[in-house]
Amino acid sequence: MLKNLLPDLINRLLKTVVLTLVVVGISAIASPADAQTRIRDLVTVSGVRSNPVYGYGIVIGLDGTGDQTTQTPFTSQSIVSMLQQSGITLPPGANLQLKNVASVMVTANLPAFAQPGQAIDVTVSSIGNAKSLRGGMLLMTPLKGADGQVYALAQGQLIVGGAGASAGGSKTVINHLSAGRIPAGALVEREVASPFLLGETLQLELTTTDFSNAIRVAEAINNNLGPNVAQALDGRTIKVRAPSNPNDRVAFLSRVQELSINKSIGSAKVIVNARTGSVVMNQAVRLESCAVAHGNLTVKITSTPVISQPAPFGQGETVVTEQADIQISEAGGELIEIKGAAQLSDVVKALNALGATPSDLISILQAMQTAGSLKAELEVI
């Protein structure tokens, strides 16, 4: 009897386990964990940053598209100075007519902890009237920092992502020909001092000021790395006690950056680009019930030339005047009720119900904020 019941009990048990796993899986899918944001995506380490460097240089080897030296005398002066350093002296009063040379400014960003011998990318931009830098070669250019010290040397073949052609007074250009890049075109010559290993503490700086996020970052560090390790100084800065040993400090900061927090929802904000008509809003935007009436105003101006001629064999002159016809029409706009919305998707649906163009929507948003219906900060860029 038991032998006959055993297979049936096993089948029922397996069905129960499978059903339980399916229910647990569905529950996990239906209620996902709160979205987490890593600390590395929210903060930067004070003093760990890139440093801009720049220098004046000469690009050679252009195919007749260089500076017109009569209009850019500094290009000729640079070539004369370079030739003198090479032991070549030009006769007094020599008028150089150079077409394959261009004066440029070379810029780059020296990354944090860059060491001598490390290669970095550089950008080369024309400062004269060169038509194109395509195919040019940058001669050795010292790159200086804000303190006047040389931190890198740049040299190499330019890469210009464009093309152009001209003939018979016509000209066609694709992309930009007056600037280019040299990948790994500069070698670091001097190390920039960093305060990373100085002192007993480090400072983490939030990219956006937020008191809630500052407290949450400090709490996450204290909960995972020990009590009283981190302290929020204000809405942007968190002071962290770090090991003095360089290897331990790097490992410590690596662990801090991998910690995650529940990022707070930022202030409600609507960004308006008045030049392009773009409107962007974040998820914290709220809308209260209001009524909006929006109409279109059209102004049409028609200009018709009127020619007045004198009689045959008369002594007068033909006069051309213009007769303008101005018409103004206004399309009536219905009064539309917009219901209050607490979710971003509902706010978008309510605003789309107006059927307004982006430029008109900017004016409507400004009026709604003034009326107190739009619960958000309106920023025009």
Side-chain angles (χ1 to χ4, degrees):
M1 186 68 179
L2 292 175
K3 293 182 179 179
N4 295 333
L5 293 176
L6 186 59
D8 185 52
L9 291 174
I10 293 175
N11 290 333
R12 291 183 180 181
L13 181 60
L14 290 175
K15 291 181 179 179
T16 303
V17 173
V18 172
L19 181 60
T20 303
L21 292 175
V22 171
V23 171
V24 171
I26 292 176
S27 300
I29 295 175
S31 57
D34 294 336
Q36 297 279 309
T37 303
R38 294 184 305 173
I39 289 180
R40 70 163 63 244
D41 299 325
L42 298 175
V43 305
T44 59
V45 182
S46 178
V48 179
R49 63 180 183 86
S50 60
N51 294 274
V53 291
Y54 74 101
Y56 170 81
I58 294 292
V59 171
I60 62 173
L62 302 176
D63 188 14
T65 59
D67 292 338
Q68 297 179 4
T69 52
T70 55
Q71 299 177 1
T72 55
F74 50 86
T75 302
S76 300
Q77 295 175 1
S78 301
I79 294 298
V80 171
S81 177
M82 182 189 66
L83 293 177
Q84 289 177 350
Q85 294 178 4
S86 301
I88 300 174
T89 303
L90 296 177
N95 187 15
L96 299 180
Q97 297 295 330
L98 306 175
K99 296 183 179 180
N100 301 333
V101 179
S103 295
V104 295
M105 294 300 296
V106 184
T107 57
N109 281 323
L110 200 63
F113 310 119
Q115 300 297 316
Q118 180 180 344
I120 58 176
D121 299 343
V122 297
T123 301
V124 181
S125 305
S126 172
I127 60 173
N129 53 10
K131 298 178 181 179
S132 173
L133 298 180
R134 189 178 180 88
M137 167 72 75
L138 175 69
L139 294 181
M140 185 176 62
T141 304
L143 302 182
K144 300 180 180 181
D147 56 358
Q149 301 292 327
V150 175
Y151 286 91
L153 293 177
Q155 182 171 285
Q157 189 74 33
L158 268 73
I159 297 178
V160 178
S166 61
S170 299
K171 181 180 179 181
T172 300
V173 176
I174 301 176
N175 293 335
H176 197 62
L177 300 177
S178 298
R181 289 181 62 83
I182 307 178
L187 294 178
V188 178
E189 297 292 332
R190 184 192 299 268
E191 179 183 0
V192 179
S194 173
F196 178 71
L197 297 176
L198 302 178
E200 298 180 353
T201 61
L202 291 174
Q203 285 193 356
L204 304 181
E205 298 177 352
L206 291 172
T207 54
T208 303
T209 300
D210 192 300
F211 290 96
S212 298
N213 285 336
I215 289 296
R216 294 181 185 185
V217 169
E219 290 178 349
I221 296 174
N222 291 331
N223 292 336
N224 289 272
L225 300 178
N228 301 323
V229 174
Q231 178 186 5
L233 301 181
D234 50 41
R236 181 179 289 267
T237 308
I238 301 98
K239 184 171 69 173
V240 181
R241 289 191 295 107
S244 57
N245 182 272
N247 186 68
D248 294 339
R249 178 166 290 200
V250 172
F252 171 82
L253 188 59
S254 175
R255 294 179 59 189
V256 168
Q257 290 183 330
E258 291 302 321
L259 298 177
S260 298
I261 66 169
N262 289 325
K263 182 182 177 183
S264 66
I265 300 177
S267 303
K269 184 173 291 188
V270 178
I271 308 298
V272 173
N273 191 325
R275 296 183 297 274
T276 63
S278 303
V279 179
V280 179
M281 58 186 69
N282 63 9
Q283 61 179 348
V285 175
R286 300 292 182 266
L287 197 64
E288 291 185 355
S289 299
C290 63
V292 177
H294 183 71
N296 294 324
L297 182 66
T298 304
V299 179
K300 183 179 180 181
I301 302 177
T302 304
S303 180
T304 304
V306 178
I307 301 176
S308 176
Q309 293 183 338
F313 304 104
Q315 300 298 323
E317 297 181 355
T318 301
V319 178
V320 179
T321 60
E322 292 186 359
Q323 182 177 359
D325 181 18
I326 303 176
Q327 298 179 357
I328 300 177
S329 60
E330 183 177 7
E334 298 180 357
L335 190 65
I336 301 175
E337 179 185 0
I338 298 181
K339 297 182 178 180
Q343 299 295 329
L344 179 60
S345 58
D346 297 331
V347 173
V348 173
K349 291 179 182 178
L351 294 177
N352 284 335
L354 296 174
T357 62
S359 58
D360 293 335
L361 186 59
I362 294 175
S363 301
I364 294 175
L365 290 173
Q366 291 175 340
M368 292 173 67
Q369 186 195 40
T370 303
S373 176
L374 181 64
K375 300 301 181 181
E377 176 186 355
L378 193 61
E379 181 178 346
V380 181
I381 60 175

